[in-house]
Amino acid sequence: MKRKVTLKQIARELDVSISTVSKALRNSVEISEDTGEKVQAFAKLYNYRPNNIALSLKNRKTKTIGIIIPEIVHHFFSKVIRGIELVANKRGYNVIVGLSNESFSKEVINMEMLANGSIDGFILSVSKETLKLQDYHHFIETISQGMPIVMFDRVVNEINCDKVIVDDLKGSKKVVNKLVENGCKTIAIITTKDYVSVGKLRTQGYIEALEAHNIKPKADLILKVDDNLVSDEHLEVLEQEIEFMLTNNPKIDGVFAVNELYAISAMKVAQKLKRKIPEDIQVVGFTDGVLSKHASPSLTTVSQHAQEMGEKAAQLLIDNLEVEEEEETYQTVIIETELIERESTK
Amino acid sequence: MKRKVTLKQIARELDVSISTVSKALRNSVEISEDTGEKVQAFAKLYNYRPNNIALSLKNRKTKTIGIIIPEIVHHFFSKVIRGIELVANKRGYNVIVGLSNESFSKEVINMEMLANGSIDGFILSVSKETLKLQDYHHFIETISQGMPIVMFDRVVNEINCDKVIVDDLKGSKKVVNKLVENGCKTIAIITTKDYVSVGKLRTQGYIEALEAHNIKPKADLILKVDDNLVSDEHLEVLEQEIEFMLTNNPKIDGVFAVNELYAISAMKVAQKLKRKIPEDIQVVGFTDGVLSKHASPSLTTVSQHAQEMGEKAAQLLIDNLEVEEEEETYQTVIIETELIERESTK
DNA sequence: ACAAGCAACGCAAACGTTTTCGTGTTGACA
DNA sequence: TGTCAACACGAAAACGTTTGCGTTGCTTGT
């Protein structure tokens, strides 16, 4: 087992100084052609590669960006990661991921673990628990130490940093408009509790769009599901709640679900109740994942362009990292949504 | 913006030496109670945290493990990552991910990028292109430099390292046995080309299981799909091929698909051909993802226990990293598969 | 009173780089 | 022959830690 070769070893072997080797490898003019070639040849022979850690220490930058997300087994988040990795790699950066698992303390611990020199900046999506507790000290502290943060999707307005979000409001309106266009008279929404910012915004978009069409939103048609229902175990409870709403409001002919799982569940319940999709009920989801595409009928849904979000977030962060003067001006990039029409709508 | 405080700054501020500060913080007996408390208080006040990079350089270990996978937008792989991250975090390690995107060169580049000191060891699943080219020099080189590798799922036998695999052969036999038990007489398989090791093994298991039941495997019933068809664009081609097989072999009453997408496609085609599932045709997949659970009918499938694979891989790697004597003995851990019965079988 | 011993601290090396500056050797030129 | 520039290279600091060992100053015992 041959350990990695260092400058020192090359220097000793060739009977020159470390600095000479270093300069020779970087083609410094200070080095004679003779020694230059000798060193280069030797280095190539022993497959010399500079030690990243030493470089990081010296340059005080790691060329690594940290990602903190609530969950990785999730189409949206993994697609964002793919986007981040894509541009990060292209620009010579590595990506290190931490999972908060929607937990506040894991989010804090993970950030502290990475903030001590391991990375140059964060890209993150805030965990639900953090949103609920509204405790943002770890973000504030990180930023105040000079480490930039880019938030995506689930952001917190109080924090001053770059953000990449989807236009949830507009996206929701597109959905409602589409359903109204398609002749729906009674449109229900299946959404989350309000502290999840995106859920709140989508609900708001739904309400505003209805009002724009002179339809009065009815509380009966707004189903706010408890969050832990997203986890698969509570699927039955979710379906029961949906069934309750559908049977109690038989006139519902359009359903807007703020995520894929809710939409799929809605379709399942509707089919169980012998309502035909899209003839009797039209269903639209949010987030374009595998489920939407391969469900039967396939689901009309709002694409958030997750990969693009990741790419944009990485661009923002790296641009910020590589600019000389620290400008204290942050931007919020809005990624346009797109309504992908499939079989669950007319 | 207050930069991160270092030992040197504390030392200067308190008018003691750097070593005194360091020792005080580590509760060395060499330090008087007095200075000890003073330093600790100051450190806490300024929220001192040792710089990870400096520690890595000194200790020559980074407490970080590198993951290289072909694709992250994939239920199986993301679940493996979750497993890795779980035990890695528990044992004080971070996780840095690189995506090969099924490309040989990206796999090589990513590994080289990480191998220069950034990580202590690799956990990886080999890209398809690498398997096809059979060029394993980057693995060999990495290992020979003393950096341990754990391969999972898509492994290469020629390389001597720890491995975590699923018992594809046995898993496939379970499927065929189940279908035979359920009364199937003509069982088809939808699989990949042979160079994908897992595809090959599953095909082999299918054949062996059939023969064990005195059923002669027929070439007509073995559909080897070209790999790029897994990408969603070529979905139609995939469905055409399946339809071709199903119509040309109307007696098919059982289908074994080696991945989720193939299984879903098979169900879609079957339903289009007016065959009832599971009455006319029973379908079983491999890999327990979201699609299987939420398809209609929901899909009977073989669970690979992806998260467990990740956990096991991380354990192997970290155990290897933290053992004193480098033993040159590698193990291959086999994760048991489990047949999850749902609505697509009787 | 003086050596020994101990408590408390500082020095310096080490990890692997890069880079600034200093230094020695040449050669040319006056 | 003496001066100076150019050339080629080495020494050392720096990044932030940890740690073995040397060095103080003081207390203790005889």
Side-chain angles (χ1 to χ4, degrees):
Chain A
M1 185 177 67
K2 40 168 191 181
R3 280 230 91 80
K4 296 234 68 171
V5 58
T6 69
L7 288 185
K8 189 190 285 193
Q9 293 169 34
I10 300 184
R12 193 184 310 146
E13 212 72 26
L14 262 47
D15 210 45
V16 291
S17 78
I18 297 182
S19 10
T20 302
V21 178
S22 176
K23 288 171 187 166
L25 291 176
R26 328 194 90 247
N27 295 312
S28 162
V29 290
E30 292 187 49
I31 301 300
S32 73
E33 209 170 321
D34 206 38
T35 23
E37 286 173 4
K38 204 165 53 182
V39 171
Q40 304 243 14
F42 194 92
K44 173 165 283 179
L45 179 64
Y46 281 85
N47 194 30
Y48 169 79
R49 293 275 180 280
N51 181 305
N52 273 333
I53 296 292
L55 285 180
S56 296
L57 185 59
K58 178 136 196 39
N59 302 329
R60 301 158 103 193
K61 57 176 91 166
T62 61
K63 289 272 191 176
T64 306
I65 78 189
I67 305 181
I68 310 279
I69 51 172
E71 170 64 88
I72 196 173
V73 189
H74 196 294
H75 195 262
F76 173 73
F77 285 120
S78 54
K79 215 153 186 180
V80 172
I81 295 188
R82 189 210 260 164
I84 296 176
E85 212 263 353
L86 189 72
V87 342
N89 238 297
K90 197 173 291 169
R91 298 181 66 168
Y93 281 74
N94 276 318
V95 157
I96 169 168
V97 311
L99 308 180
S100 70
N101 200 26
E102 303 285 12
S103 139
F104 171 73
S105 62
K106 272 212 70 183
E107 186 175 279
V108 173
I109 292 174
N110 254 308
M111 284 189 67
E112 282 180 350
M113 218 169 149
L114 297 182
N116 302 317
S118 303
I119 61 165
D120 295 339
F122 280 108
I123 296 179
L124 56 86
S125 191
V126 185
S127 85
K128 283 185 188 169
E129 196 183 358
T130 307
L131 289 172
K132 204 183 305 192
L133 297 176
Q134 303 195 28
D135 185 342
Y136 308 132
H137 76 274
H138 49 312
F139 301 143
I140 298 175
E141 227 164 72
T142 306
I143 294 174
S144 86
Q145 282 174 354
M147 178 161 302
I149 292 183
V150 177
M151 296 187 178
F152 72 89
D153 196 49
R154 304 215 291 239
V155 305
V156 3
N157 291 325
E158 292 93 316
I159 301 292
N160 234 315
C161 64
D162 285 329
K163 286 157 195 156
V164 181
I165 55 176
V166 83
D167 194 342
D168 288 291
L169 209 67
K170 205 161 155 190
S172 300
K173 292 181 182 174
K174 283 184 190 172
V175 172
V176 174
N177 290 343
K178 184 68 193 171
L179 288 174
V180 171
E181 269 179 38
N182 284 6
C184 292
K185 302 294 179 193
T186 312
I187 301 174
I189 183 173
I190 308 175
T191 182
T192 64
K193 301 274 187 201
D194 272 349
Y195 62 81
V196 182
S197 57
V198 296
K200 183 177 178 181
L201 281 173
R202 291 171 196 170
T203 310
Q204 187 184 336
Y206 158 85
I207 293 176
E208 289 182 11
L210 283 186
E211 286 170 344
H213 286 285
N214 293 319
I215 306 177
K216 206 168 182 175
K218 283 181 55 186
D220 273 11
L221 301 180
I222 301 180
L223 176 56
K224 292 191 180 176
V225 183
D226 213 346
D227 316 276
N228 39 14
L229 296 189
V230 185
S231 90
D232 289 350
E233 293 90 41
H234 303 80
L235 212 57
E236 311 80 29
V237 187
L238 171 62
E239 291 179 7
Q240 283 168 19
E241 293 198 29
I242 297 177
E243 185 167 350
F244 185 81
M245 180 173 76
L246 286 187
T247 47
N248 276 27
N249 301 277
K251 291 169 82 174
I252 291 177
D253 54 2
V255 172
F256 170 34
V258 299
N259 63 45
E260 230 183 1
L261 190 57
Y262 291 177
I264 297 289
S265 300
M267 292 210 298
K268 198 176 291 179
V269 172
Q271 287 172 325
K272 178 181 160 201
L273 297 176
K274 301 293 175 198
R275 319 256 183 114
K276 288 218 185 309
I277 302 172
E279 291 79 6
D280 303 337
I281 287 192
Q282 302 182 49
V283 180
V284 182
F286 216 106
T287 300
D288 186 32
V290 266
L291 280 179
S292 305
K293 183 177 292 179
H294 295 105
S296 52
S298 60
L299 184 66
T300 294
T301 192
V302 177
S303 166
Q304 299 159 288
H305 297 145
Q307 179 163 342
E308 193 185 332
M309 286 187 78
E311 292 172 11
K312 196 66 202 175
Q315 278 169 20
L316 279 176
L317 183 63
I318 298 179
D319 284 349
N320 191 335
L321 288 174
E322 297 188 342
V323 81
E324 291 304 315
E325 261 332 285
E326 309 265 329
E327 349 128 21
E328 288 291 319
T329 154
Y330 298 112
Q331 32 182 328
T332 295
V333 175
I334 298 177
I335 304 289
E336 279 297 311
T337 59
E338 180 186 1
L339 190 65
I340 300 182
E341 298 187 44
R342 297 208 184 89
E343 301 165 358
S344 67
T345 50
K346 287 180 191 170
Chain B
M1 185 177 69
K2 41 170 189 184
R3 281 231 92 80
K4 295 234 69 171
V5 58
T6 70
L7 289 185
K8 188 191 285 192
Q9 293 169 34
I10 300 184
R12 193 184 310 146
E13 211 72 27
L14 262 46
D15 209 43
V16 291
S17 78
I18 296 181
S19 14
T20 302
V21 178
S22 175
K23 287 170 185 167
L25 291 176
R26 326 194 92 246
N27 294 312
S28 162
V29 289
E30 292 185 49
I31 302 299
S32 73
E33 209 171 320
D34 207 39
T35 16
E37 286 175 5
K38 205 166 53 181
V39 172
Q40 304 243 15
F42 194 91
K44 173 165 284 179
L45 179 63
Y46 282 85
N47 195 30
Y48 169 79
R49 294 274 181 282
N51 182 305
N52 274 333
I53 296 293
L55 286 180
S56 297
L57 184 59
K58 181 144 196 32
N59 302 330
R60 301 160 101 195
K61 57 176 91 166
T62 60
K63 288 273 191 177
T64 306
I65 77 189
I67 304 181
I68 310 278
I69 52 173
E71 170 64 88
I72 196 172
V73 189
H74 196 294
H75 195 261
F76 173 72
F77 285 120
S78 55
K79 217 155 185 176
V80 171
I81 295 188
R82 188 211 259 164
I84 297 175
E85 211 262 355
L86 189 73
V87 340
N89 237 296
K90 198 172 290 169
R91 298 181 67 168
Y93 281 74
N94 277 318
V95 158
I96 169 167
V97 311
L99 308 181
S100 69
N101 201 24
E102 303 285 11
S103 138
F104 171 73
S105 62
K106 271 212 67 179
E107 186 176 278
V108 173
I109 292 175
N110 254 308
M111 284 190 66
E112 283 180 349
M113 217 168 149
L114 297 182
N116 302 316
S118 303
I119 61 165
D120 296 339
F122 279 109
I123 295 178
L124 57 85
S125 191
V126 186
S127 85
K128 283 185 187 167
E129 196 183 359
T130 306
L131 289 172
K132 203 183 304 192
L133 297 176
Q134 304 194 29
D135 184 344
Y136 307 133
H137 77 273
H138 49 312
F139 301 143
I140 298 174
E141 224 163 75
T142 306
I143 293 175
S144 85
Q145 282 173 352
M147 178 161 302
I149 292 183
V150 177
M151 295 187 178
F152 71 91
D153 197 48
R154 304 216 292 239
V155 305
V156 4
N157 291 325
E158 293 91 316
I159 301 291
N160 233 317
C161 65
D162 286 328
K163 286 157 194 156
V164 181
I165 55 176
V166 83
D167 194 342
D168 288 291
L169 208 67
K170 205 161 156 192
S172 299
K173 291 181 182 175
K174 283 184 191 173
V175 172
V176 174
N177 290 342
K178 183 70 194 172
L179 288 174
V180 171
E181 271 178 37
N182 284 6
C184 291
K185 302 295 179 193
T186 312
I187 301 175
I189 183 173
I190 307 175
T191 182
T192 64
K193 301 274 187 200
D194 271 349
Y195 63 81
V196 182
S197 57
V198 296
K200 182 177 179 182
L201 280 173
R202 290 171 197 170
T203 309
Q204 187 185 337
Y206 159 83
I207 293 177
E208 289 182 12
L210 282 185
E211 286 170 344
H213 287 285
N214 293 317
I215 307 177
K216 205 167 180 174
K218 283 180 55 185
D220 272 12
L221 302 180
I222 301 179
L223 176 56
K224 293 191 180 177
V225 183
D226 212 347
D227 316 276
N228 39 14
L229 296 190
V230 185
S231 90
D232 290 351
E233 293 90 43
H234 303 80
L235 213 57
E236 312 79 29
V237 189
L238 171 63
E239 291 179 6
Q240 284 169 18
E241 295 197 28
I242 297 176
E243 184 167 349
F244 186 81
M245 181 172 76
L246 286 186
T247 48
N248 277 25
N249 302 276
K251 292 168 83 174
I252 291 177
D253 54 2
V255 172
F256 170 32
V258 299
N259 63 44
E260 229 182 3
L261 190 57
Y262 292 177
I264 297 290
S265 300
M267 292 211 297
K268 197 176 291 178
V269 172
Q271 287 172 326
K272 177 183 161 197
L273 297 177
K274 302 293 174 198
R275 319 255 183 116
K276 288 215 183 309
I277 302 172
E279 291 79 5
D280 303 338
I281 286 193
Q282 303 182 49
V283 180
V284 182
F286 215 108
T287 298
D288 186 32
V290 266
L291 280 179
S292 306
K293 183 176 292 179
H294 295 106
S296 52
S298 60
L299 184 65
T300 295
T301 192
V302 177
S303 166
Q304 300 159 288
H305 297 145
Q307 180 163 344
E308 194 185 332
M309 288 187 77
E311 293 172 10
K312 196 67 202 174
Q315 279 169 19
L316 280 176
L317 183 63
I318 299 180
D319 284 349
N320 191 335
L321 288 175
E322 296 188 342
V323 81
E324 292 305 315
E325 259 335 282
E326 309 265 328
E327 349 129 19
E328 287 291 318
T329 154
Y330 298 111
Q331 33 182 328
T332 295
V333 175
I334 298 177
I335 303 289
E336 279 297 312
T337 58
E338 181 187 1
L339 190 65
I340 300 181
E341 298 187 44
R342 297 208 184 89
E343 301 165 358
S344 67
T345 49
K346 288 181 189 168

